[in-house]
Amino acid sequence: MGSPVTHWSVQTSKPVQYEIRVCENVFDPDNPTVLEDAAGTAGPRRFVVTDRVVDSLYGERIRAYFEHNGVEHQVLVLDDGEEHKSVEAVLRVSEALDAFGVDRRREPVVAVGGGVLMDIVGFAASLYRRSTPFIRIPTTLIGLVDAGVGAKTGVNHNGHKNRLGTYFPADRTLLDRTFLTTLDGRHISNGLAEILKIALIKDARLFDLLEQHGADLLENKLQSPAAGIGPTPADVPVDQRLASRGLHLDPATEVVERAIHGMLEELQPNLWEKVLERVVDYGHTFSPTIEMHALPALLHGEAVSVDMALTTVMAERRGLVSAYQRDRILGVMNLLGLPVWHPLCTPEVLQPALCDTVRHRDGKQRLPLPVGIGSAVFVNDVTESELASAARELALLTTGAAR
Ligand SMILES: NC(=O)c1ccc[n+]([C@@H]2O[C@H](COP(=O)([O-])OP(=O)(O)OC[C@H]3O[C@@H](n4cnc5c(N)ncnc54)[C@H](O)[C@@H]3O)[C@@H](O)[C@H]2O)c1
């Protein structure tokens, strides 16, 4: 007779709460928001991480802010760019946190930068002493509407995009759209790709706004007509403002708020991604492989745009989207300055990309395809030949040449 089985099963749950707040002129010396601490236990010191470019543009203002407020601080400046989104960068942050002797109960790390910087710092913060709170201050459009609002951190590793990472939301994200005034047009377009994604899978009104105002949004870098962030009356809940179809909002404000609101509606009920059918994965099936193969030629949003163009063509071939809708979608991508095709759209790249995504999505394609404009469906039966034909058709439509 065998010995009796002894086992313990431990079950617990961890509530998650974090805040995303619009905060104009976040580094105005008299604006206390950065130094507020949710628990009211903030210490007198701050460790700030930023990247080289953001430091050259805003470093002086950031340092002056802490000096003005009598806060001891240190600013670590990392190299910018996707090529530097690496484990080495995470180790650099950890070592600097050690040297600073950060008090993880009282001194939230402050990450000021784009998606790359926030992903690195978030990853480091999640690892450092098993978890150290941090706040995010995004300075790019991708950061404002995407990387800054969810729970994921990560770095590229072993030739793969975001191969190492954690789920670790920042305590707070402070959204200051005035940072976008120094961002170049290409990076504005890059962020508009993630906004277009939300439009295509769940928000037809957002698509119309992009179609009507895309050129202005690009030119004005999503600034509101009057100075700053525009009318966002704090006493009107965001869903009420948006439900009124933006009657009180200028297009730039409405576009950014709708994008964030739509993203959070999808993320909140599935923050740990237990459900693998995620509409927000639209445009992220082939793009991770395309982006890594093309690095540094293609930006994240640009790769997402190519993926969305390809899957729009696929959807049209399946009768999910009309030819008119497909052309409108490709037209808006053009209007927003986004690529719709790339030489890497070959079966040799796309098929392994799909296989890699299938592994990531637990053995099924779970591929979101648009249904009309503003809705999506998941499919699991895309064949190699369907993929190759769609890629050929996309090349024909966009470059006029069969590949
Ligand atoms: N964690 C997530 O949920 C999530 C979501 C979407 C994207 N991402 C990640 O975000 C990254 C892309 O983010 P990104 O597009 O912000 O790239 P990025 O962080 O590389 O920033 C782009 C460039 O703009 C510069 N820059 C930043 N702010 C600026 C400003 N205000 N003015 C002028 N230049 C400025 C940066 O130094 C950099 O050179 C990708 O690595 C992607 O994987 C993460």
Side-chain angles (χ1 to χ4, degrees), residues 205-242:
R205 158 95 182 151
L206 182 54
F207 183 85
D208 291 343
L209 285 167
L210 292 174
E211 195 173 44
Q212 280 169 37
H213 303 284
D216 282 350
L217 294 171
L218 246 185
E219 191 178 327
N220 300 325
K221 304 192 176 183
L222 287 104
Q223 301 305 297
S224 301
I229 195 132
T232 50
D235 49 337
V236 184
V238 72
D239 40 1
Q240 262 178 42
R241 278 209 306 275
L242 298 180

Side-chain angles (χ1 to χ4, degrees), residues 51 53-54 57-58 80-82 85 114-117 119 139-140 142-143 146-147 152-153 161-162 179-180 182-183 187 190 194 291 300:
D51 76 26
V53 175
V54 177
L57 292 164
Y58 298 102
D80 68 301
E82 191 71 36
K85 191 176 166 181
V116 166
L117 188 279
D119 274 2
T139 60
T140 61
I142 287 231
D146 196 344
K152 291 201 275 195
T153 78
K161 176 95 184 137
N162 295 330
F179 282 114
L180 302 181
T182 52
L183 201 60
H187 281 93
N190 191 41
E194 294 285 3
E291 184 183 344
H300 179 75

Side-chain angles (χ1 to χ4, degrees), residues 336-359:
L336 300 181
L338 289 165
V340 290
W341 187 79
H342 189 272
L344 283 170
C345 285
T346 62
E348 294 73 31
V349 173
L350 296 175
Q351 191 56 35
L354 183 57
C355 292
D356 197 44
T357 298
V358 165
R359 267 194 300 280

Side-chain angles (χ1 to χ4, degrees), residues 49 92 126 138 154 160 190 214 238 303 309 334 336 346 348 361:
V49 191
R92 248 197 100 194
S126 70
H160 294 284
N190 191 41
V238 72
N334 270 317
L336 300 181
T346 62
E348 294 73 31
R361 295 184 189 153

Side-chain angles (χ1 to χ4, degrees), residues 140-339:
T140 61
L141 187 52
I142 287 231
L144 278 152
V145 299
D146 196 344
V149 302
K152 291 201 275 195
T153 78
V155 295
N156 305 328
H157 187 60
N158 213 13
H160 294 284
K161 176 95 184 137
N162 295 330
R163 191 42 55 105
L164 299 179
T166 51
Y167 294 93
F168 189 69
D171 285 13
R172 277 190 298 152
T173 296
L174 301 178
L175 305 177
D176 181 354
R177 244 192 297 148
T178 59
F179 282 114
L180 302 181
T181 53
T182 52
L183 201 60
D184 63 38
R186 186 175 173 202
H187 281 93
I188 298 283
S189 296
N190 191 41
L192 285 167
E194 294 285 3
I195 296 179
L196 177 60
K197 172 188 81 175
I198 297 292
L200 291 177
I201 47 115
K202 65 174 290 166
D203 191 345
R205 158 95 182 151
L206 182 54
F207 183 85
D208 291 343
L209 285 167
L210 292 174
E211 195 173 44
Q212 280 169 37
H213 303 284
D216 282 350
L217 294 171
L218 246 185
E219 191 178 327
N220 300 325
K221 304 192 176 183
L222 287 104
Q223 301 305 297
S224 301
I229 195 132
T232 50
D235 49 337
V236 184
V238 72
D239 40 1
Q240 262 178 42
R241 278 209 306 275
L242 298 180
S244 67
R245 296 181 71 79
L247 289 180
H248 311 295
L249 301 179
D250 64 275
T253 302
E254 190 181 353
V255 160
V256 170
E257 289 199 4
R258 290 195 93 86
I260 293 172
H261 197 69
M263 179 71 91
L264 287 172
E265 270 181 352
E266 296 303 317
L267 296 186
Q268 179 169 287
N270 190 25
L271 204 61
W272 315 123
E273 303 187 4
K274 292 274 183 278
V275 179
L276 292 169
E277 266 112 17
R278 297 180 352 120
V279 281
V280 286
D281 277 343
Y282 183 52
H284 292 69
T285 299
F286 306 100
S287 64
T289 302
I290 294 174
E291 184 183 344
M292 290 309 282
H293 274 60
L295 203 65
L298 270 188
L299 301 176
H300 179 75
E302 293 173 338
V304 169
S305 177
V306 170
D307 182 316
M308 294 193 296
L310 176 70
T311 43
T312 294
V313 169
M314 234 180 235
E316 192 275 327
R317 292 169 65 90
R318 285 176 175 236
L320 298 171
V321 159
S322 70
Y324 172 67
Q325 288 168 329
R326 175 201 65 197
D327 293 345
R328 273 181 80 195
I329 295 170
L330 297 180
V332 168
M333 289 170 176
N334 270 317
L335 182 75
L336 300 181
L338 289 165

